[in-house]
Structures are given as structure tokens and as C-alpha cells.
Amino acid sequence: MSNKEDILSRYRANIKQRYDMPSLDDIKGITYPDPLTQFITMSQNVGGKVVELQPGQDLNNLVRDLYPEAKEIASNLPEITIATRNPDTIDSAQALNNTDVGVIRGIFGVAENGCIWVPQQMKEKVACFISENLVILLKKSEIVNNMHEAYRRVEFNDYGYGVFISGPSKTADIAQVLVMGAQAARSVTVVLIP
């Protein structure tokens, strides 16, 4: 018997009372009177920025206004005409090094924690993580209350990969000092689309 099996068998031998797993339908997550307002608050609390695309406002101009110094913009979204790199047509992920801004699409947001579900929608998913700044387009009507609702909506496409993104990359592992942009995007801006 392996060490792992030995340890597990000792645990099993010492279980005095067994409990059935609760039904997921019985779990009621937190709800909010205004999920969109809660989502915006939580996104800001985790270091993100939220802007709303106004009727008639040009999306490309908005991205340029948000990041006027950006030289390299990566996106495969058809409405992003200012992109200088397309994650679907590059030869390798390394070609996305030094990307100033990545523009991607989120499927839905979570009011509870400011997360956004982003399934892989491009050949090189590294654009979501290697970009210095990340812009996530999100329909403002696509906000759920909590992670229980979110997990029911998670779907994968042909790539079979997806991730919840909540604000910029951050860590507080070293000396308990919060550092933004430690392993991925230094900033995340959510653009709410009508």
C-alpha cells in the first residue's frame, strides 16, 4: 500500500459519522438588490476600473483615451480596429511579448466578487495574461449575483479553457505587501457595453 493509500485508509477508519453531500439546489448564494452596482463596487475594490460605453461613443476611441501611450494592442475582436496584433494569426505566444493593451470579451460578471468569466476565444490565450493592461468588454446586462449562479453558466468552447478574472494581477506573498501586476496585467479595465 502506498503512503497516500495508507494515510487515506487511516482517515476512513476514524470517521465516526458520515454525512450525505448537500444538493447544490439547496445552496442559496448571496443576492443583491442591484447586481450591476455591486459588481462595479467589487471590481473597484479588487483594483479594477469600470467604465461604461456611452451610446454613440466609439469603442476604439475609448480604448485609446484609456491608454494613450499604448503602441501595441492585441485583440481578435472584429470591433477593435486599432489592434496591432491578432492572437489568432501570430506564429507563437512569444510574439505577444511587450503588448501594452489586450482587449478581450467577457461572457458574464459576478457581483459577489467582481470576477468575469472569460472562456478562451483566441488561439493564443496568453494575450489575457501577458498584456501590461487588459480591457474586458462586458455586456452590463450579463451580471449574476454570486459564484453559485456563475458555475451554472460556465461553458467551454472548442478550446476547452476558461478563467475567471477579477481585477489586475496581485500578490501579497512577500512581507504581506500587496503588489499589483505581479504575474499578469498591471491594470484591468472593464468596459460595460449596453
Side-chain angles (χ1 to χ4, degrees), residues 84-106:
T84 58
R85 298 173 175 178
N86 185 333
D88 286 337
T89 61
I90 59 173
D91 293 332
S92 69
Q94 290 79 10
L96 290 169
N97 280 339
N98 301 313
T99 296
D100 298 310
V101 178
V103 184
I104 62 175
R105 187 178 328 278

Side-chain angles (χ1 to χ4, degrees), residues 75-148:
S75 184
N76 69 340
L77 301 178
E79 62 268 40
I80 303 301
T81 58
I82 58 173
T84 58
R85 298 173 175 178
N86 185 333
D88 286 337
T89 61
I90 59 173
D91 293 332
S92 69
Q94 290 79 10
L96 290 169
N97 280 339
N98 301 313
T99 296
D100 298 310
V101 178
V103 184
I104 62 175
R105 187 178 328 278
I107 304 303
F108 61 86
V110 184
E112 178 179 29
N113 53 18
C115 283
I116 300 169
W117 173 246
V118 181
Q120 184 174 350
Q121 302 167 33
M122 60 191 75
K123 182 179 95 175
E124 292 297 344
K125 65 182 175 267
V126 72
C128 299
F129 310 106
I130 202 168
S131 302
E132 287 290 315
N133 306 284
L134 191 61
V135 174
I136 305 175
L137 308 182
L138 179 66
K139 288 183 181 177
K140 68 184 208 176
S141 61
E142 294 295 328
I143 307 294
V144 299
N145 284 291
N146 54 61
M147 291 302 290
H148 299 290

Side-chain angles (χ1 to χ4, degrees), residues 53-65:
L53 185 69
Q54 299 302 313
Q57 186 177 20
D58 182 77
L59 182 56
N60 291 284
N61 289 341
L62 176 61
V63 172
R64 277 278 178 223
D65 290 345

Side-chain angles (χ1 to χ4, degrees), residues 17 20 23 71 112 134:
Q17 188 172 2
D20 291 330
S23 167
K71 291 179 179 46
E112 178 179 29
L134 191 61

